[in-house]
Amino acid sequence: MTSIAIFVGTESGNAQMVAEALNDELSRLDHDVEIIEDFDDGCDVLDGHDTIIISCSTHGLGELPDNIIPLFEAMKEDTPDLSNVKYGIIALGDQTYSDTFCKAGKDMDTVFAACGAKRVGDRLEVDACTQPLPDEEAIEWVKEWLDLL
């Protein structure tokens, strides 16, 4: 099957919970899955991954989680050629903050696209106000996402 890296940007653990649920589901479907949470090496983490799911929460006033900032900044600065990469985005947010709802996920979507990566399917935007268990919605999304690969 497919080798899939799940990049996790998280502050409170919700994006991590989503990644672990996706790992279980994708592994059950015989995909090779790797969850990555450490991005201190910037763009080097992209090497060898051609199918990526980004599970990213938004915190504060629309900010990226601290752990994924090194990757985001390196991608903006270096603009690596990701034309061979397919990706999907799961953005977590809270519509109470309408101006910045899912902003971190949207920012990651933008930087991957700017580097030439091809987004597969629609971005999943999960609202903490209406979906307290984001992993359930993400599992339904990933089933459709796999069909589009």
Side-chain angles (χ1 to χ4, degrees):
M1 294 305 253
T2 306
S3 177
I4 301 170
I6 302 174
F7 288 9
V8 181
T10 191
E11 286 292 326
S12 65
N14 286 337
Q16 177 67 35
M17 178 178 62
V18 166
E20 290 170 5
L22 292 177
N23 177 57
D24 292 348
E25 180 67 14
L26 292 167
S27 296
R28 186 184 68 75
L29 297 171
D30 293 326
H31 296 282
D32 181 26
V33 184
E34 178 183 6
I35 296 176
I36 300 172
E37 305 169 61
D38 181 3
F39 302 99
D40 290 340
D41 292 335
C43 291
D44 289 348
V45 74
L46 297 164
D47 293 343
H49 300 294
D50 59 5
T51 307
I52 299 170
I53 295 173
I54 300 102
S55 175
C56 190
S57 62
T58 301
H59 77 102
L61 299 174
E63 288 125 31
L64 288 160
D66 290 341
N67 74 305
I68 206 163
I69 290 173
L71 174 62
F72 179 79
E73 293 297 328
M75 289 177 72
K76 277 181 53 178
E77 184 175 322
D78 300 341
T79 318
D81 177 8
L82 300 182
S83 57
N84 66 326
V85 173
K86 295 179 276 189
Y87 73 99
I89 296 278
I90 299 173
L92 284 72
D94 183 334
Q95 281 200 2
T96 304
Y97 306 96
S98 60
D99 292 345
T100 60
F101 177 64
C102 292
K103 185 175 181 317
K106 292 173 184 175
D107 289 346
M108 292 303 297
D109 193 359
T110 299
V111 77
F112 267 80
C115 293
K118 308 289 186 287
R119 188 177 76 209
V120 174
D122 293 329
R123 178 178 56 233
L124 174 62
E125 296 180 359
V126 182
D127 179 13
C129 289
T130 61
Q131 182 53 280
L133 299 173
D135 53 329
E136 294 174 0
E137 195 169 346
I139 288 172
E140 291 306 311
W141 173 88
V142 82
K143 291 174 186 175
E144 294 175 18
W145 185 79
L146 287 169
D147 289 340
L148 300 173
L149 281 180

